Amino acid sequence: MILVTGGAGFIGGNFVLDWLANPKAEEIINLDKLTYAGNLATLASLENDPRHIFVHGDIGDRGLVESLLQKYQPRAIVNFAAESHVDRSIHGPADFVQTNVLGTFNLLESARAYWSPLPDNQKSSFRFLHVSTDEVYGSLKADDPPFSETNTYEPNSPYSASKAASDHLVRAWFHTYGLPVLTTNCSNNYGPYHFPEKLIPLVILNALNGKPLPVYGDGQQIRDWLYVADHCSAIRRVLESGQIGETYNVGGWNEKANLDVVNTICAVLDSLRPRSDHQSYSQQITFVADRPGHDRRYAIDARKIERELNWKPQETFDTGIRKTVQWYLDNPVWIEGVVSGSYRDWLKKHYN
Ligand code: NAD
Ligand code: TYD
């Protein structure tokens, strides 16, 4: 079996669902602290699936993690658990240092304590896969080549700095202790079960609720977008065949300016769920104050994972965004469950 952390969040939840969609898949122990971003409703379809063992807890809790490792003897840990939202990291960086830096440190130490005494064959096949972000590389100029695995780390937000720190710890646990680690650095994900504080789900829900669609600054910041199922397939490939100690950049070859992303969502909604006044949702676009320290451009050179592990994304942005909008239209119950009081408090605090 494998231990997944943060598997009640957006990407971890998609990963667990995709993994267990295979009837031959190994069991998963899913350790999640259930912060505001963790949501058991995402995993509701697994309620009666004995292959999914959910444990409520913190990756930083050494006693708990070591007892889980001893009890279940997983062959791998896939670490999704993190504080993940840049805007929240600007309002309150402490949780980011706590989970992303100290939490990863403690998880590495728990993994090392479990892994060190294993018999040789289990020791060499064990994997610690750390899921990270392209934001650790900092911001690109318009004509810079996309980020490759050899780019220097130049994180600019408390979020990306905390993820960069965690990546360095993972690297050091390989070089110093020989822990068989793998790291993936992925671009912006989108798709089902995405918490609506992030751009794409926020815009879909605000559009449907007749609210402003907030675009920071001039809306010309560029991100590379990857459909979440493609990220999950990349992680499975790296877990299966990645070279220990290596890092793999994962991206969708889909560089888009934020304003274009918002306009595309509006156009999809105009066709799938037209406004009652037959005007375009794009009329709701509102330019708001820019994010402090806002990175201008991210872009991923995903040739290494393609060349060495034969991985390629399946979705284009056009197919992925249509699926995503349709998913939000089809899942009002899940949405009802996440737009609770604490979500409304966040919107008030951040956008007012
Ligand atoms: P998310 O915020 O949706 O989910 C994070 C999950 O981790 C939640 O379920 C939360 O309850 C859990 N968690 C938080 N702190 C924890 C702790 N101390 N112990 C145990 N569980 C804890 O995040 P996401 O978007 O699914 O991102 C998952 C990972 O992928 C993160 O490491 C993130 O840095 C990375 N990543 C995200 C993106 C993206 O676009 N969302 C892109 C690249 C990489
Ligand atoms: P986000 O989804 O928060 O991801 P990240 O900051 O990790 O890239 O934001 C994506 C882009 O959209 C980013 O450039 C910030 C911008 N953005 C807005 O313009 N308006 C918003 O309300 C939000 C949440 C983000």
Side-chain angles (χ1 to χ4, degrees):
M1 61 162 60
I2 65 169
L3 170 66
V4 166
T5 71
F10 164 48
I11 305 172
N14 275 280
F15 181 84
V16 169
L17 291 171
D18 284 3
W19 181 276
L20 293 175
N22 173 0
K24 293 190 190 134
E26 300 156 277
E27 292 164 272
I28 285 184
I29 320 146
N30 183 353
L31 173 67
D32 195 296
K33 189 179 172 185
L34 296 178
T35 66
Y36 78 91
N39 185 358
L40 286 177
T42 299
L43 305 165
S45 63
L46 302 175
E47 216 169 354
N48 297 316
D49 190 331
R51 298 171 306 160
H52 179 240
I53 301 159
F54 183 80
V55 180
H56 183 199
D58 193 316
I59 55 167
D61 181 342
R62 294 266 289 273
L64 172 67
V65 175
E66 286 176 32
S67 73
L68 290 174
L69 292 170
Q70 285 309 330
K71 179 169 176 192
Y72 293 107
Q73 304 270 310
R75 67 163 176 98
I77 298 174
V78 184
N79 182 30
F80 293 96
E83 291 291 339
S84 71
H85 187 33
V86 174
D87 293 317
R88 285 188 193 251
S89 82
I90 296 168
H91 286 281
D95 287 348
F96 289 71
V97 174
Q98 188 62 43
T99 282
N100 300 0
V101 186
L102 295 174
T104 305
F105 160 71
N106 281 307
L107 187 64
L108 282 164
E109 280 296 80
S110 299
R112 188 163 74 92
Y114 161 68
W115 168 81
S116 294
L118 286 177
D120 281 351
N121 61 334
Q122 283 179 45
K123 217 173 159 180
S124 60
S125 62
F126 182 78
R127 295 290 180 268
F128 183 106
L129 193 158
H130 180 61
V131 179
S132 193
T133 166
D134 61 355
E135 305 196 21
V136 297
Y137 297 119
S139 186
L140 292 169
K141 297 197 179 60
D143 51 1
D144 282 343
F147 301 128
S148 79
E149 290 79 358
T150 54
N151 272 58
T152 51
Y153 272 34
E154 295 176 4
N156 293 317
S157 72
Y159 164 66
S160 55
S162 67
K163 290 296 291 187
S166 69
D167 293 7
H168 290 322
L169 291 172
V170 170
R171 176 189 160 91
W173 261 241
F174 169 68
H175 283 276
T176 303
Y177 304 113
L179 189 72
V181 306
L182 299 155
T183 299
T184 53
N185 293 91
C186 187
S187 58
N188 283 57
N189 283 214
Y190 66 100
Y193 305 108
H194 203 182
F195 191 76
E197 63 183 353
K198 306 278 170 72
L199 179 70
I200 288 181
L202 180 91
V203 164
I204 298 170
L205 296 196
N206 278 15
L208 293 170
N209 291 322
K211 292 188 184 156
L213 311 181
V215 171
Y216 297 164
D218 62 3
Q220 293 308 312
Q221 303 82 4
I222 291 172
R223 299 289 180 265
D224 168 65
W225 292 96
L226 182 69
Y227 191 65
V228 64
D230 280 326
H231 189 188
C232 294
S233 77
I235 291 169
R236 292 195 300 272
R237 283 300 295 140
V238 172
L239 187 60
E240 237 168 69
S241 309
Q243 286 292 312
I244 59 168
E246 289 292 315
T247 71
Y248 297 90
N249 283 359
V250 183
W253 302 105
N254 280 313
E255 278 186 64
K256 305 264 176 223
N258 291 339
L259 189 56
D260 294 337
V261 169
V262 175
N263 273 313
T264 303
I265 295 168
C266 291
V268 175
L269 279 171
D270 288 342
S271 77
L272 294 179
R273 180 71 59 86
R275 266 173 42 158
S276 53
D277 63 2
H278 301 291
Q279 302 284 314
S280 171
Y281 286 97
S282 57
Q283 300 221 335
Q284 291 164 231
I285 292 174
T286 311
F287 291 90
V288 300
D290 208 350
R291 169 188 283 173
H294 198 173
D295 285 337
R296 196 69 183 164
R297 174 175 167 240
Y298 303 142
I300 280 274
D301 177 344
R303 281 177 298 178
K304 177 177 172 181
I305 186 170
E306 180 178 346
R307 190 178 60 242
E308 295 186 9
L309 304 183
N310 198 22
W311 174 86
K312 262 190 181 175
Q314 297 296 306
E315 301 290 343
T316 64
F317 188 70
D318 287 342
T319 59
I321 199 71
R322 231 185 144 75
K323 282 188 180 176
T324 303
V325 171
Q326 189 66 57
W327 187 88
Y328 279 88
L329 292 173
D330 292 344
N331 286 277
V333 175
W334 185 88
I335 293 162
E336 268 309 300
V338 295
V339 294
S340 65
S342 77
Y343 175 67
R344 282 196 292 273
D345 292 346
W346 163 253
L347 294 186
K348 220 187 230 166
K349 178 173 169 188
H350 185 57
Y351 292 99
N352 285 354

